[in-house]
C-alpha cells in the first residue's frame, strides 16, 4: 500500500468558494500541498482575493498556483456566471468545496426576514445550485481514474445547540448535513462523491471568538485548543483523495471533541 498516492491530489483541478480567507484559505493551502494542479477560488471582495493569490505565488512554470474568480454566490446569476467561467477555463472539475457561507445573529423577537433569507440562501441554496450548475464538469472529473468530489462545509452548530441566537445559521447547517446525504445518493450514480465537513472553533472572520480569544475558546474544547490550518487541510485532503473514496454522504466533524467528547456540565462542576 502506497500511503503517498493514497493521499495524493496530484494533477487535480479544484474550486473552493469563499477561498480567500478563513477556513476556505485553509482548504486551498491543503489542496496545493497535496498536489492539485490548479485551485480556483471565488470571493466577493476582489482585493482580498488578490492578496491570497499573491500569497500563494507561482508554480515552477511561472503560473499562479491559485486562480481567482470574483462572484457573488448569494444570487443565482452569480452562481451561473461562476459556473460559466469555470466551463470556459476547464474541461473537468475534480473537486468542489462549497465553503462560502453567512451567519446572522439577532434576538428571537427581533430576528428579521432579510437575515433569515441571506443565511439560508447562501448556506443551503447555493451549495445545491452551484453543484448543479457545475454538474457536467464534475461528471467529466469523475470519468477518469478517480471519482469527482464535492464537499459541503457545514458546522457543529448543525449538530448541537450553541449559546447564541443564530437561528437561521443553525437551521441552515443542519440542513446542509441532510442535503449532503440526499445529494450523495443521487450523485454517486455519476461517480461524484458528496460529503461534508463540520468545523468547530477555527480562527476566522465568522468565528471571531476563536480568532481574537483562542485561549478562552480552547477552555470549552475537550482537546484544549482551537483548530489549525493543518487540521482543516487534513480533513479535506482525506475526503478529496483516494483515502476518502468509500466515504459517501458522511459528515466529518473536526472540532476537537466538542460534539462527541464533551461531558455534561454537571461533570465539570466541582459542586456537582
Amino acid at each position: 500500500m502506497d500511503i503517498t498516492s493514497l493521499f495524493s491530489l496530484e494533477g487535480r483541478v479544484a474550486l473552493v468558494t469563499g477561498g480567500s480567507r478563513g477556513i476556505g484559505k485553509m482548504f486551498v493551502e491543503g489542496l496545493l500541498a497535496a498536489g492539485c494542479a490548479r485551485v480556483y477560488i471565488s470571493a466577493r471582495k476582489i482585493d482580498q482575493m488578490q492578496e491570497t493569490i499573491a500569497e500563494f505565488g507561482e508554480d515552477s512554470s511561472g503560473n499562479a498556483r491559485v486562480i481567482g474568480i470574483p462572484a457573488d454566490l448569494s444570487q443565482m446569476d452569480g452562481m451561473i456566471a461562476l459556473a460559466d467561467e469555470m466551463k470556459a477555463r476547464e474541461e473537468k472539475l475534480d473537486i468542489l468545496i462549497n465553503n462560502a457561507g453567512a451567519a446572522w445573529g439577532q434576538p428571537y423577537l427581533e430576528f428579521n426576514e432579510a437575515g433569515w433569507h441571506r443565511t439560508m440562501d447562501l448556506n443551503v441554496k447555493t451549495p445545491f445550485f452551484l453543484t448543479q450548475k457545475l454538474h457536467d464538469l464534475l461528471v467529466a472529473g469523475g470519468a477518469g481514474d478517480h471519482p469527482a468530489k464535492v464537499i459541503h462545509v457545514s458546522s457543529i452548530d448543525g449538530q448541537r445547540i450553541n449559546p447564541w441566537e443564530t437561528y437561521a445559521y443553525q437551521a441552515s447547517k443542519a440542513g446542509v448535513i441532510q442535503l449532503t446525504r440526499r445529494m450523495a445518493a443521487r450523485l454517486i450514480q455519476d461517480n461524484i462523491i458528496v460529503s461534508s465537513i463540520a468545523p468547530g472553533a477555527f480562527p476566522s472572520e465568522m468565528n471571531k471568538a476563536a480568532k481574537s480569544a483562542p485561549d478562552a475558546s480552547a477552555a470549552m474544547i475537550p482537546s484544549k485548543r482551537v483548530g489549525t490550518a493543518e487540521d482543516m487541510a487534513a480533513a479535506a485532503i482525506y475526503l478529496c483523495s483516494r483515502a476518502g473514496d468509500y466515504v459517501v454522504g458522511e459528515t466529518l466533524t473536526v472540532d476537537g471533541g466538542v460534539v462527541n467528547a464533551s461531558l455534561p456540565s454537571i461533570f465539570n462542576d466541582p459542586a456537582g
Side-chain angles (χ1 to χ4, degrees), residues 181-205:
R181 297 187 184 106
R182 188 60 192 89
M183 289 179 67
R186 168 60 183 84
L187 270 63
I188 192 63
Q189 300 172 33
D190 296 319
N191 205 30
I192 302 168
I193 294 175
V194 183
S195 58
S196 165
I197 293 176
F202 282 78
S204 67
E205 290 303 311

Side-chain angles (χ1 to χ4, degrees), residues 148-165:
K149 301 292 180 71
V150 175
I151 297 177
H152 298 324
V153 179
S154 54
S155 169
I156 60 171
D157 289 349
Q159 298 173 309
R160 60 87 164 107
I161 303 301
N162 73 29
W164 304 286
E165 292 189 274

Side-chain angles (χ1 to χ4, degrees), residues 12 91-95 134-149 187-193:
R12 302 191 193 188
E91 295 181 354
K92 68 180 181 69
L93 181 63
D94 300 292
I95 298 164
L134 291 167
H135 186 73
D136 290 348
L137 283 183
L138 290 163
V139 169
D145 58 359
H146 59 259
K149 301 292 180 71
L187 270 63
I188 192 63
Q189 300 172 33
D190 296 319
N191 205 30
I192 302 168
I193 294 175

Side-chain angles (χ1 to χ4, degrees), residues 25 28 32 37-39 49-68:
K25 189 176 178 182
V28 173
L32 290 171
R38 290 180 296 286
V39 178
M49 186 170 63
Q50 292 300 332
E51 289 175 8
T52 299
I53 293 168
E55 182 178 333
F56 284 109
E58 299 177 344
D59 61 21
S60 58
S61 301
N63 299 312
R65 302 178 74 206
V66 176
I67 303 165

Side-chain angles (χ1 to χ4, degrees), residues 39-107:
V39 178
Y40 290 85
I41 62 173
S42 71
R44 289 185 301 110
K45 298 180 179 178
I46 297 175
D47 291 346
Q48 191 174 69
M49 186 170 63
Q50 292 300 332
E51 289 175 8
T52 299
I53 293 168
E55 182 178 333
F56 284 109
E58 299 177 344
D59 61 21
S60 58
S61 301
N63 299 312
R65 302 178 74 206
V66 176
I67 303 165
I69 302 176
D72 179 2
L73 299 180
S74 65
Q75 304 295 325
M76 183 61 74
D77 57 0
M79 294 181 233
I80 293 171
L82 175 57
D84 287 347
E85 185 65 21
M86 287 298 301
K87 291 172 185 177
R89 292 169 178 256
E90 299 289 344
E91 295 181 354
K92 68 180 181 69
L93 181 63
D94 300 292
I95 298 164
L96 169 62
I97 301 183
N98 286 307
N99 169 70
W104 191 280
Q106 229 174 356

Side-chain angles (χ1 to χ4, degrees), residues 23 27 154-156 159 196-202 221 225-236 238-239 251-260:
I23 286 175
F27 289 135
S154 54
S155 169
I156 60 171
Q159 298 173 309
S196 165
I197 293 176
F202 282 78
I221 300 170
R225 67 176 178 85
V226 298
T228 66
E230 289 81 1
D231 296 319
M232 193 49 57
Y238 163 58
L239 290 175
T251 292
L252 178 59
T253 303
V254 188
D255 70 345
V258 173
V259 171
N260 294 312

